[in-house]
Amino acid sequence: MRTTAMTAAATPGPAYNFAYLDEGTKRMIRRAILKGIAVPGYQVPFASREMPMPYGWGTGGVQVTAAILGPADVLKVIDQGADDTTNAVSIRAFFRKTAGIATTTRTVEATIVQTRHRIPETPLAAGQIIVYQVPIPEPLRFLEPRETETRTMHALEEYGLMHVKLYEDIARHGHIATTYAYPVKVEGRYVMDPSPLPKFDNPKMHRSPALQLFGAGREKRIYALPPYTDVRSLDFEDHPFTVQSFTEPCAVCGARNVYLDEVVTDDRGGRMFVCSDTDHCGTRRAEATP
Amino acid sequence: MGAFATTALATAAVAGGFADPVFDAQAVFRLLMGAMAEPGTVADLGARVAAPAPLVPAAAALLAALADGDTPVWMADPAGAGEAAARWLRFQTGAPITEDRAAATFALLPERHDPVGWASFPRGTSDYPDRSATLLLPVRDFAGGDGLVLAGPGIAAERRVAPAGLPEGFAAALAANRAGFPLGVDIVLVCGTAVLALPRSTRVREG
Ligand SMILES: [Zn+2]
């Protein structure tokens, strides 16, 4: 079944600021975004606002989206690759109500994609913007809890500890065990947390033609990757970075070289692997059934 | 200054702002964000404001969208030749106008402003490179000048630009600014209603 992907714009209620945020907050966030673009991978502090949703729901990404959004935008929101989770549905509804904008589930139709933990399988194009919801923006946080220290480490490019941690993985497991939030180095300068993406998605960030913006609400940080920015996953000469690979194709659409989720099919241990990107899977199925 | 002239200045200050503050500010920001994300491209912000000289329309629109009480704006001679522009900015944005370069978040440079003076604008700190100024520099045209070859984030390979009316030593000043990365100023060239951004991440050579 193919559902209507595009939802028509609704008229915003008069009780809201456009996209909820007041104009002063938008200006402050916009200035932070511009500085983030000028210094790719550096975490710009901003005065995060209370949003009408809990922090775990991506308030940083929501504020970034609210600050950039205009009436002509078409917004897609995904959560772990899916458009139909409660989180994604709520955020889409929030912006339809407060900004009256059109929303979509189709990656190719979106001008802005707000995401929690995946990059769509369909390659993003020039002119598109992807907004990441980030829970913990500081890649060095689990090595050094003090903000003043991590700031100094970034300032001095003291990233040795990060390599030590990855190397300990190799000593213990024979390979780098980190599979989510796998750290990257931006333009050979800043080590950056790509948000809890599966490392499968890391190569999609490298020299993407789309503008990538990151918002962390609780930790009050914004950072950015302009198009065509160098984004390298940290690794070692004798242990090069590799992505997860799947032996089976998607059980539903047959796609290979995509990120698959394991789905339990019955209570007797039955399971199958299907695309995590629901738009990608649905589009392939629709194309296969004329 | 006589009463008539003062009244005229005050009238000029309240006129010429965004017709639709919410959507004009969003549109200007989005175009500027695109220009910053793809250095060397020209973005026309549109004729959204009417500001007194020497404010270039694009600079006026940029500040109307982004400046406020938290962002001091540096300009030359705000009590003299720049008085009408200073009043307009204060009224339209609430931004303090400053003659102290070290305090500036935005700087309205005069045409062909000597880059030697740019060193005294904030370049950020190693812990907070974002605490740096954005310099708005008027040019005569975005074409017809000496060629510059740009590379870096936002540029797939290389991008060639040739703005006309740049100050002497511009390319060398940009190279020095890039050498200090991640510290540095971000530069926005303005001409008419259009902008061309050169953030500190951009590598520049003559060619
Ligand atoms: Zn599939």
Side-chain angles (χ1 to χ4, degrees):
Chain A
M1 186 189 72
R2 187 162 194 187
T3 54
T4 312
M6 196 95 161
T7 309
T11 313
Y16 300 95
N17 292 314
F18 179 78
Y20 185 79
L21 293 178
D22 65 273
E23 292 304 300
T25 299
K26 285 182 196 166
R27 270 196 303 276
M28 176 267 297
I29 294 174
R30 287 167 180 167
R31 293 193 299 259
I33 290 171
L34 295 177
K35 289 299 170 191
I37 289 171
V39 190
Y42 162 73
Q43 302 164 50
V44 185
F46 80 109
S48 181
R49 294 287 188 258
E50 290 289 326
M51 296 301 283
M53 56 191 77
Y55 275 124
W57 283 49
T59 55
V62 168
Q63 289 177 82
V64 169
T65 297
I68 66 175
L69 200 63
D73 276 310
V74 180
L75 177 69
K76 171 182 166 79
V77 183
I78 50 171
D79 178 7
Q80 308 276 7
D83 298 88
D84 56 3
T85 66
T86 311
N87 184 302
V89 169
S90 302
I91 292 172
R92 273 203 306 280
F94 174 77
F95 283 116
R96 269 206 308 278
K97 186 170 180 183
T98 61
I101 50 128
T103 58
T104 184
T105 59
R106 303 291 310 277
T107 300
V108 293
E109 288 173 352
T111 57
I112 300 172
V113 177
Q114 183 175 324
T115 178
R116 178 171 175 270
H117 310 351
R118 275 310 310 281
I119 299 174
E121 303 292 358
T122 307
L124 296 173
Q128 284 184 306
I129 301 168
I130 182 165
V131 177
Y132 298 82
Q133 301 173 199
V134 183
I136 301 168
E138 180 47 74
L140 306 169
R141 180 65 71 237
F142 62 96
L143 301 168
E144 172 54 66
R146 287 167 299 178
E147 166 74 16
T148 49
E149 291 300 311
T150 54
R151 228 159 238 290
T152 306
M153 290 160 78
H154 283 295
L156 302 176
E157 289 184 76
E158 249 178 36
Y159 295 129
L161 269 182
M162 181 61 92
H163 281 96
V164 169
K165 146 81 173 88
L166 292 174
Y167 211 85
E168 280 169 0
D169 264 17
I170 296 170
R172 196 173 311 142
H173 308 283
H175 60 94
I176 297 173
T178 304
T179 53
Y180 286 87
Y182 190 106
V184 295
K185 198 165 200 186
V186 178
E187 287 284 320
R189 178 56 182 82
Y190 282 101
V191 167
M192 186 192 97
D193 185 310
S195 86
L197 301 174
K199 66 175 182 174
F200 180 89
D201 285 340
N202 275 22
K204 296 176 186 168
M205 310 178 97
H206 176 59
R207 297 187 64 78
S208 169
L211 170 62
Q212 305 177 70
L213 303 175
F214 300 77
R218 188 177 42 223
E219 303 229 2
K220 306 177 169 60
R221 295 289 181 273
I222 285 170
Y223 47 106
L225 299 170
Y228 312 110
T229 295
D230 235 62
V231 182
R232 308 281 180 177
S233 300
L234 299 184
D235 63 358
F236 301 93
E237 230 164 78
D238 49 344
H239 286 275
F241 172 80
T242 54
V243 299
Q244 294 99 328
S245 61
F246 301 87
T247 47
E248 300 285 306
C250 168
V252 175
C253 76
R256 289 183 185 276
N257 303 317
V258 296
Y259 193 75
L260 302 178
D261 286 335
E262 189 176 350
V263 178
V264 176
T265 52
D266 56 44
D267 54 11
R268 297 184 304 278
R271 60 199 188 108
M272 61 179 192
F273 286 91
V274 298
C275 292
S276 132
D277 183 334
T278 54
D279 167 54
H280 186 73
C281 202
T283 303
R284 284 177 52 88
R285 267 179 299 161
E287 282 166 358
T289 357
Chain B
M1 185 176 285
F4 175 76
T6 308
T7 311
L9 271 179
T11 308
V14 298
F18 285 148
D20 189 333
V22 171
F23 293 113
D24 281 334
Q26 188 275 336
V28 166
F29 162 73
R30 231 357 222 282
L31 289 159
L32 179 69
M33 180 171 79
M36 275 283 186
E38 301 197 45
T41 57
V42 175
D44 190 341
L45 307 182
R48 298 171 194 275
V49 293
L55 263 174
V56 174
L62 187 158
L63 292 175
L66 292 173
D68 58 26
D70 296 332
T71 64
V73 175
W74 179 91
M75 64 184 294
D77 202 12
E83 189 185 0
R87 276 177 189 253
W88 189 88
L89 282 173
R90 273 196 212 96
F91 181 83
Q92 298 293 339
T93 71
I97 306 299
T98 181
E99 290 183 271
D100 175 9
R101 291 181 192 199
T105 301
F106 296 101
L108 281 166
L109 304 180
E111 280 173 47
R112 293 183 186 274
H113 187 257
D114 186 354
V116 170
W118 300 354
S120 39
F121 291 109
R123 301 169 62 244
T125 66
S126 56
D127 279 0
Y128 296 96
D130 56 300
R131 295 178 182 172
S132 53
T134 301
L135 313 185
L136 312 183
L137 177 67
V139 295
R140 204 169 61 241
D141 198 336
F142 288 123
D146 291 338
L148 298 173
V149 183
L150 314 179
I155 301 168
E158 285 185 339
R159 184 167 286 134
R160 289 175 173 278
V161 298
L166 290 172
E168 202 71 37
F170 181 77
L174 254 66
N177 191 47
R178 179 64 184 78
F181 187 89
L183 306 195
V185 293
D186 303 309
I187 293 166
V188 179
L189 305 183
V190 294
C191 178
T193 57
V195 295
L196 182 160
L198 297 167
R200 71 194 78 174
S201 60
T202 302
R203 294 185 291 276
V204 183
R205 64 180 168 83
E206 290 170 292

